[in-house]
Amino acid sequence: MFGTYRTFLALLVVATHLGGYPGLGSYAVFGFYCLSGYLMTLIMQRRYGYSGDGVLRYGLNRFLRIFPVYWVSIGLSLALIALLGNEFTASYHHAIYRPEGAAQWARNLLLYFPQMESPRLTPPAWALTVELFFYALIALGASRSPFTSWCWFAVSVLHHVNVAVLQMDSDHWYFSIPAASLPFATGALIFHYSADISRLTGRLSRWRFACVLAGLGAGILFNWLFGQVAGGSAKAHFYVNFLLCAAMVALLFDCRELPWISRSADKWLGDFSYPVYLMHYQIGLLAIVLFGYAGLTLERPGNALLIIATPLVLATSWGVTVLLERPIERLRARIKA
């Protein structure tokens, strides 16, 4: 039952980038990382294995999951640049402008943004570079056993302790590849101790379980709101959110159905998450232009843009899912088998 949760996280990213709600996007990204750490460890352990053939099929499936929709998103950006011009798109987001030279084109086509380089035709693509790095690390055995996962986790904790002691900025505790190691390693540990977690959560009734999940989701939002109202350390609230997201993954992996969301509905909702994450900037820009012709001025960030663009983002995501992702999913299913 991860689908609804994934789309919830993707919409938090939209709220930050289009609506101007700072911090929610970073909360969501670490939530995605933790979930990926769990899922990638799961499929390596139970579906692909660590043989050469297994790693090859795993890599091909990850490629088909990540790149086709990503290439559609950068194609959409290039179309907007062609229609509106480099200056207009760069004024909307500083990283959206036409690449120049082989290196910039290769970086955008191959998803290589280790330092958040510009131009990024799809601005959130830097986080996919991080994901790809840890997909490879997991395939190489970083989470193959509880021991290796604990070692990985310990090194990750040491990095964040070092960041705190040296009072480094968010480039080191959020944006960088070493920073993302902590949620990925945590997700791997959740997999290895899933049987123990299941014994604990199995004692909850269906409705109590649902209430706990709803409480965690509300806790993520309340933690953000409390940080905005009361101030304090943004980093402290960020780590509290990380713990809440880890708890959400630990509860959801064994959940088959919720009182108000069936398994099929959850999968349908989850299909929206990846296109929403990739294309919300482009659809937001399109909304600004189209509604501008109608005499309505929209600015990014702003509540009006968020309210108007979100349904358009969801509709675009549905189209991408039906026309592109589902046909690719059938191919991926054959590779899994």
Side-chain angles (χ1 to χ4, degrees):
M1 293 290 288
F2 286 127
T4 306
Y5 177 55
R6 289 203 312 269
T7 299
F8 167 72
L9 293 177
L11 290 174
L12 293 185
V13 175
V14 176
T16 290
H17 293 160
L18 300 188
Y21 293 90
L24 283 175
S26 60
Y27 284 14
V29 168
F30 257 47
F32 276 124
Y33 289 163
C34 186
L35 179 57
S36 291
Y38 169 80
L39 290 173
M40 296 306 104
T41 302
L42 169 71
I43 62 176
M44 283 302 297
Q45 295 271 342
R46 297 185 179 174
R47 183 170 294 151
Y48 296 108
Y50 295 91
S51 66
D53 174 69
V55 170
L56 181 62
R57 287 188 296 117
Y58 165 83
L60 181 56
N61 240 323
R62 289 298 87 204
F63 173 85
L64 291 172
R65 178 71 179 101
I66 296 294
F67 279 92
V69 180
Y70 167 70
W71 285 333
V72 169
S73 75
I74 66 173
L76 180 56
S77 293
L78 288 170
L80 288 169
I81 292 168
L83 287 171
L84 304 173
N86 262 336
E87 289 187 9
F88 190 91
T89 57
S91 67
Y92 170 76
H93 189 287
H94 66 88
I96 303 179
Y97 58 92
R98 186 181 298 106
E100 295 181 0
Q104 290 186 359
W105 278 105
R107 186 178 292 125
N108 277 272
L109 289 171
L110 300 177
L111 254 176
Y112 185 69
F113 303 105
Q115 303 294 329
M116 294 187 66
E117 293 85 353
S118 293
R120 292 190 312 281
L121 293 170
T122 297
W126 65 270
L128 297 180
T129 298
V130 175
E131 290 261 359
L132 291 171
F133 176 86
F134 286 103
Y135 289 173
L137 195 66
I138 289 170
L140 294 173
S143 60
R144 188 167 186 171
S145 69
F147 175 76
T148 60
S149 299
W150 275 114
C151 291
W152 180 14
F153 179 79
V155 171
S156 304
V157 170
L158 285 175
H159 168 77
H160 282 269
V161 169
N162 184 60
V163 166
V165 169
L166 298 180
Q167 299 182 341
M168 296 180 180
D169 59 21
S170 58
D171 286 347
H172 297 88
W173 53 263
Y174 170 57
F175 288 106
S176 68
I177 287 176
S181 184
L182 178 62
F184 273 94
T186 302
L189 285 173
I190 290 171
F191 166 79
H192 285 295
Y193 292 93
S194 56
D196 299 310
I197 296 170
S198 293
R199 282 193 289 270
L200 293 173
T201 58
R203 298 172 186 174
L204 296 172
S205 68
R206 188 166 172 242
W207 279 100
R208 286 181 179 176
F209 185 84
C211 288
V212 171
L213 284 175
L216 285 173
I220 291 171
L221 297 177
F222 178 78
N223 173 58
W224 172 82
L225 182 62
F226 183 75
Q228 296 299 307
V229 173
S233 170
K235 190 187 299 184
H237 290 283
F238 175 79
Y239 285 117
V240 168
N241 168 78
F242 160 64
L243 294 175
L244 291 171
C245 287
M248 188 74 84
V249 173
L251 284 173
L252 280 172
F253 77 81
D254 203 28
C255 178
R256 296 292 177 264
E257 194 167 87
L258 291 170
W260 59 86
I261 302 174
S262 67
R263 192 166 187 177
S264 59
D266 178 73
K267 184 183 184 307
W268 182 79
L269 287 169
D271 288 342
F272 286 86
S273 61
Y274 188 47
V276 165
Y277 180 80
L278 287 178
M279 298 184 186
H280 62 276
Y281 269 120
Q282 296 92 321
I283 302 304
L285 176 56
L286 194 59
I288 288 174
V289 173
L290 293 177
F291 280 85
Y293 284 126
L296 179 61
T297 301
L298 299 175
E299 295 183 354
R300 186 189 77 84
N303 286 326
L305 177 61
L306 178 64
I307 292 168
I308 290 172
T310 298
L312 299 176
V313 171
L314 291 171
T316 303
S317 300
W318 177 80
V320 170
T321 298
V322 171
L323 297 175
L324 180 62
E325 286 202 293
R326 287 182 182 168
I328 292 175
E329 186 64 30
R330 291 192 286 270
L331 174 59
R332 292 180 63 226
R334 291 200 292 272
I335 295 170
K336 290 175 186 177

